[in-house]
Amino acid sequence: DAGVIQSPRHEVTEMGQEVTLRCKPISGHNSLFWYRQTMMRGLELLIYFNNNVPIDDSGMPEDRFSAKMPNASFSTLKIQPSEPRDSAVYFCASSLDGQPQHFGDGTRLSIL
Amino acid sequence: AQSVTQPDIHITVSEGASLELRCNYSYGATPYLFWYVQSPGQGLQLLLKYFSGDTLVQGIKGFEAEFKRSQSSFNLRKPSVHWSDAAEYFCAVGNIDYKLSFGAGTTVTVRA
């Protein structure tokens, strides 16, 4: 079975550029989560969707960050403009009601 | 507010020896508790979960964890570690659908 698929696996870009991270959840899952992992802050939940609707975006750091889920099989996390402090590993996870979250392999983002 | 404390940042253990990783949580209701493992460059993989019932739960790869409400703990154990168990381990608390809070993680090094 295909797990959560994230792309790209690695992204290096210059400060000020727009960055788009992509996620394909496990088929049939109805919840999707975006996390950020850094050495300083560990794993932080950024935003959570249920049935394609954003439920809680209180973890989104600022207006430069936005996330969408246009359908049940695709989500994006966008940073515009990007800053060096956005460098981190970004994880997408999905789950079905009543079941634990399954994580993708992450996108390692470096902003120069 | 929910939170997780993993007191040990790094543990070194000999191959074949037993392993115990500590986890203490703070949660206002009956907690859902999880242990995840992360190998370098990969996402988080669920080892085991506790929702209710038997306080000793068995997981994959020979791991088990014991829920102790009186101590607010959910420690992870393995009787005999293998070199492939070298990884970072995360304890998490929360609702299974939403808003997991992760500990800072414990890195396990296995020496021959």
Side-chain angles (χ1 to χ4, degrees):
Chain A
D1 288 343
V4 176
I5 300 173
Q6 292 186 245
S7 64
R9 288 298 312 277
H10 303 273
E11 175 86 13
V12 181
T13 192
E14 293 188 346
M15 181 175 64
Q17 297 298 305
E18 179 179 288
V19 173
T20 300
L21 310 182
R22 296 172 177 81
C23 175
K24 177 179 171 56
I26 292 173
S27 177
H29 282 191
N30 62 348
S31 295
L32 185 139
F33 308 81
W34 282 100
Y35 291 88
R36 179 171 66 177
Q37 185 179 38
T38 61
M39 290 292 292
M40 292 297 296
R41 300 175 66 90
L43 269 161
E44 304 172 278
L45 177 66
L46 300 178
I47 188 169
Y48 153 63
F49 292 86
N50 184 256
N51 294 322
N52 311 339
V53 176
I55 303 300
D56 184 350
D57 65 355
S58 60
M60 295 286 264
E62 50 197 273
D63 292 345
R64 297 185 298 106
F65 285 69
S66 63
K68 294 182 179 180
M69 192 164 186
N71 57 62
S73 59
F74 184 65
S75 177
T76 59
L77 177 68
K78 188 172 294 188
I79 308 172
Q80 166 62 21
S82 58
E83 297 182 4
R85 61 193 169 114
D86 301 330
S87 298
V89 181
Y90 291 81
F91 287 103
C92 176
S94 70
S95 70
L96 181 62
D97 287 345
Q99 299 298 321
Q101 297 174 25
H102 294 255
F103 284 75
D105 285 339
T107 295
R108 184 173 295 277
L109 177 63
S110 297
I111 309 297
L112 306 177
Chain B
Q2 60 192 43
S3 65
V4 175
T5 301
Q6 293 181 245
D8 304 304
I9 296 173
H10 189 201
I11 286 180
T12 299
V13 61
S14 297
E15 192 169 16
S18 63
L19 174 68
E20 182 167 11
L21 304 182
R22 296 183 289 164
C23 171
N24 293 99
Y25 67 89
S26 173
Y27 192 73
T30 301
Y32 294 93
L33 294 159
F34 308 84
W35 275 99
Y36 283 86
V37 61
Q38 184 180 27
S39 298
Q42 296 188 7
L44 280 71
Q45 180 185 21
L46 180 70
L47 283 176
L48 49 77
K49 60 186 184 291
Y50 172 78
F51 294 164
S52 64
D54 192 348
T55 57
L56 184 64
V57 293
Q58 302 297 320
I60 62 171
K61 303 185 180 186
F63 284 92
E64 65 178 26
E66 186 171 12
F67 170 60
K68 293 186 177 180
R69 185 185 299 275
S70 62
Q71 299 178 18
S72 296
S73 69
F74 188 57
N75 294 349
L76 182 71
R77 298 193 293 255
K78 185 168 184 177
S80 176
V81 299
H82 185 262
W83 63 266
S84 60
D85 294 322
E88 189 161 17
Y89 292 80
F90 293 91
C91 181
V93 66
N95 182 297
I96 57 171
D97 291 335
Y98 168 56
K99 218 157 193 171
L100 290 182
S101 292
F102 285 86
T106 299
T107 299
V108 173
T109 298
V110 181
R111 60 184 174 217

